């Protein structure tokens, strides 16, 4: 896609610090380095995000994650890692070419805070919602 930042990185029109490349996937350091070693993994096929992605592209993209994540962990000596994927603006997506973030973690004061509001479980609602989603999965 001509107007896509990550397609331009794939094409070599914009420089990047590459850590892995094969026929279908590219991984490079995120310019903002949320923590040291923050890496993005992208499919070479232009696709907006996971909500738009074919099973085949997902297999290609996600199958590379463990290998690259382990390499980042080994190289940085991180003690853990958040693996994130943002889909659409409300979820924090700012570049609309699908990507997976690898964010190495070093300790409680490494600048990363992730949190969810917890709610009391309502088991009837959970069962109902699970059924609604299950129906959609099988469509
Ligand atoms: P998102 O917010 O869409 O999940 O993540 C997009 C990421 O792309 C951000 O973390 C941002 O720092 C990174 N990014 C934006 N522009 C560039 C760039 O030109 N080069 C690199 N390497 N990363 C970029
Ligand atoms: Zn693209």
């Amino acid at each position: 896609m001509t107007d896509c930042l990550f397609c331009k990185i794939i094409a070599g029109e914009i420089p990047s610090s590459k850590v892995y490349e094969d026929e279908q996937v590219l991984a490079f350091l995120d310019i903002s380095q949320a923590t040291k070693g923050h890496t993005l993994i992208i499919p070479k096929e232009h696709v907006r995000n996971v909500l738009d992605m074919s099973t085949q592209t997902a297999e290609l993209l996600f199958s590379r994650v463990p290998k690259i994540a382990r390499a980042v962990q080994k190289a940085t000596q991180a003690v853990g890692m958040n693996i994130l994927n943002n889909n659409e603006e409300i979820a924090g997506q700012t570049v609309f070419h699908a990507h997976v973030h690898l964010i190495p973690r070093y300790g409680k004061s490494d600048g990363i805070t992730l949190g969810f509001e917890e709610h009391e479980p309502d088991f009837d609602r959970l069962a109902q919602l699970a059924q609604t989603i299950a129906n959609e999965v099988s469509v």
Side-chain angles (χ1 to χ4, degrees):
M1 202 194 198
T2 48
D3 205 24
C4 168
L5 177 66
F6 286 175
C7 282
K8 287 181 180 163
I9 286 179
I10 292 163
E13 292 165 20
I14 291 176
S16 68
S17 303
K18 291 181 189 177
V19 304
Y20 175 84
E21 183 168 19
D22 62 34
E23 287 281 302
Q24 293 99 4
V25 169
L26 176 67
F28 53 96
L29 295 181
D30 191 298
I31 206 165
S32 70
Q33 293 292 280
T35 61
K36 188 180 85 176
H38 180 184
T39 298
L40 300 173
I41 310 177
I42 66 174
K44 287 192 173 174
E45 176 198 347
H46 178 86
V47 55
R48 182 177 172 88
N49 57 38
V50 171
L51 299 174
D52 254 11
M53 197 177 279
S54 68
T55 302
Q56 192 196 16
T57 303
E59 282 173 358
L60 293 170
L61 176 64
F62 289 101
S63 68
R64 271 54 164 193
V65 170
K67 165 163 93 172
I68 301 168
R70 278 192 291 271
V72 170
Q73 192 272 328
K74 231 176 147 182
T76 60
Q77 295 294 297
V79 293
M81 189 177 293
N82 289 110
I83 299 181
L84 303 176
N85 162 247
N86 301 326
N87 298 276
E88 301 299 337
E89 205 173 337
I90 188 67
Q93 186 175 11
T94 58
V95 176
F96 292 90
H97 179 128
H99 51 279
V100 174
H101 292 262
L102 306 181
I103 304 178
R105 298 300 307 271
Y106 298 96
K108 285 190 175 152
S109 56
D110 63 10
I112 306 293
T113 46
L114 300 166
F116 303 101
E117 213 174 288
E118 289 191 15
H119 303 278
E120 276 302 306
D122 175 335
F123 293 105
D124 288 339
R125 276 203 170 172
L126 289 177
Q128 239 174 48
L129 181 57
Q131 190 54 57
T132 307
I133 296 169
N135 293 343
E136 290 295 333
V137 174
S138 57
V139 167

